[in-house]
Amino acid sequence: MTTWTDRTADRPVSLTAPSGIDRAAHHRLDEAWLAAAWSHPTTRVFVVSGGQALIDETPEGTTELVMTPTFEAPLTEAHRYFLGTDDDGVSYFALQKDSLPGRMDQQARPAGLREAGLLLSPRDAGLMVHAVALENWQRLHRFCSRCGERTVIAAAGHIRRCQACGAEHYPRTDPAVIMAVTDDEDRILLGRQVHWPEGRFSTLAGFVEPGESIEQSVRREVWEEAGVTVGAVEYVASQPWPFPSSLMLGFMASATSSEINVDGEEIEEARWFSREDLRAAFESGEVLPPYGISIAARLIELWYGKPLPKPGSVG
């Protein structure tokens, strides 16, 4: 399958840039090592709650996660997740709490990944996406799917173990496809979901079903949502999307038909756009671009050939 890696190297998809963190999975079951790492003075900890963490602006104008040494971290009995180590040997942990701690300086603020992912360094964004994904899974999978008994946390937050039947449960990741579909006139197909604000358009997307290849999923989703048939499918890039547990697999796809027939359930409206159509619609504000953190924006830019114009700009 053809890839577009060379065409995306200059502008990595949000949340996918190298973080410099080694997840060091071989330490997750080593309780002695984890205890020593937790007590080490260089270890850094941050709190995650409801998909949010505290971020702060530095004097240099950058944004970073609010992290503390372990002796300043709030107490927690079990929800302590080991995220990995960096090249300097610093270990990183996240603590899952019911609420974020207050800050004496009143400077830090809570933020979710949709905001923080665009502001943080690759290291901090990588740590936060890892922690948020674990927190989402932990909150939603407290009971054994085999026998129904409550499970306990193991492997530094990366396993839930049932003490009744012995089953082990691992963090869930749901594969989803997202695709920029183009026709023989090199127009792009964008749709608007029923719950989106008026004018918000983006690429089509959907979940991979059991027993289905990702190429089959691309073709099925485009047909179901817009009534358009797809032929060639080319992989572009992937993006972790823990809202709550997806991995977005991005594609460019070639349509073999152009008539649109939306399903009316997920997609309320879909349209073909030429580059000139999309530029004019963005600049006038008639069409709102997809959220910047999403891989959808990168897929559209690949087709468009440059960064998308902003409302009121000259493209």
Side-chain angles (χ1 to χ4, degrees), residues 7 28 37 52 103 119 144 158 164 192 209 260 289 298:
R7 299 189 228 181
R28 292 173 186 167
Q52 293 189 318
R103 293 284 291 172
L119 301 174
C144 180
H158 294 77
R192 188 172 72 82
E209 293 189 347
I260 295 173
R298 273 307 276 127

Side-chain angles (χ1 to χ4, degrees), residues 2-315:
T2 303
T3 70
W4 287 42
T5 304
D6 57 330
R7 299 189 228 181
T8 60
D10 58 332
R11 293 195 64 210
V13 176
S14 297
L15 307 179
T16 64
S19 66
I21 298 295
D22 177 359
R23 294 197 174 195
H26 57 289
H27 289 314
R28 292 173 186 167
L29 293 172
D30 188 339
E31 295 298 335
W33 187 93
L34 291 170
W38 177 259
S39 63
H40 198 279
T42 65
T43 294
R44 290 296 176 263
V45 183
F46 65 95
V47 175
V48 60
S49 179
Q52 293 189 318
L54 290 177
I55 62 174
D56 205 352
E57 313 299 327
T58 69
E60 294 76 25
T62 60
T63 302
E64 60 184 23
L65 277 175
V66 174
M67 292 191 272
T68 66
T70 54
F71 64 83
E72 294 182 4
L75 297 177
T76 183
E77 293 182 359
H79 293 273
R80 185 171 79 189
Y81 311 142
F82 172 60
L83 304 179
T85 61
D86 64 18
D87 292 340
D88 295 323
V90 176
S91 298
Y92 296 89
F93 288 81
L95 300 180
Q96 178 181 326
K97 302 291 286 184
D98 291 334
S99 61
L100 295 175
R103 293 284 291 172
M104 296 293 291
D105 56 17
Q106 300 298 312
Q107 295 296 313
R109 70 180 191 278
L113 273 171
R114 284 186 172 88
E115 176 190 2
L118 293 172
L119 301 174
L120 296 173
S121 68
R123 184 202 70 177
D124 285 8
L127 290 169
M128 185 174 176
V129 74
H130 189 177
V132 167
L134 286 177
E135 184 210 19
N136 284 333
W137 173 68
Q138 292 283 356
R139 289 186 183 277
L140 297 175
H141 295 82
R142 297 178 179 177
F143 295 90
C144 180
S145 59
R146 179 184 294 175
C147 71
E149 292 295 322
R150 183 176 287 275
T151 56
V152 297
I153 295 174
H158 294 77
I159 293 176
R160 291 195 72 97
R161 186 171 290 138
C162 180
Q163 295 179 310
C165 72
E168 290 187 345
H169 306 279
Y170 295 84
R172 172 175 175 168
T173 298
D174 300 320
V177 292
I178 184 166
M179 43 276 176
V181 180
T182 57
D183 68 0
D184 56 7
E185 299 179 36
D186 202 21
R187 299 178 299 175
I188 193 168
L189 178 65
L190 301 179
R192 188 172 72 82
Q193 293 190 20
V194 294
H195 62 274
W196 284 355
E198 190 70 29
R200 175 78 68 195
F201 279 79
S202 188
T203 52
L204 303 183
F207 287 103
V208 179
E209 293 189 347
E212 183 177 54
S213 73
I214 53 179
E215 294 90 348
Q216 290 171 333
S217 182
V218 169
R219 298 184 180 105
R220 176 185 53 77
E221 285 290 343
V222 175
W223 171 253
E224 289 178 354
E225 294 185 348
V228 172
T229 57
V230 163
V233 174
E234 297 181 75
Y235 174 73
V236 178
S238 64
Q239 181 187 41
W241 197 249
F243 303 112
S245 56
S246 299
L247 176 67
M248 302 299 292
L249 306 169
F251 297 87
M252 304 297 289
S254 299
T256 57
S257 69
S258 59
E259 182 178 350
I260 295 173
N261 183 21
V262 297
D263 64 5
E265 296 180 2
E266 291 186 62
I267 302 298
E268 186 172 67
E269 180 184 2
R271 294 162 54 185
W272 291 106
F273 293 88
S274 68
R275 289 173 181 80
E276 178 59 29
D277 292 338
L278 193 62
R279 181 193 62 79
F282 279 164
E283 290 176 2
S284 69
E286 175 191 354
V287 169
L288 303 175
Y291 297 105
I293 193 176
S294 170
I295 191 175
R298 273 307 276 127
L299 293 174
I300 298 172
E301 284 182 349
L302 279 175
W303 164 82
Y304 191 69
K306 57 184 177 180
L308 299 178
K310 301 293 190 291
S313 67
V314 177

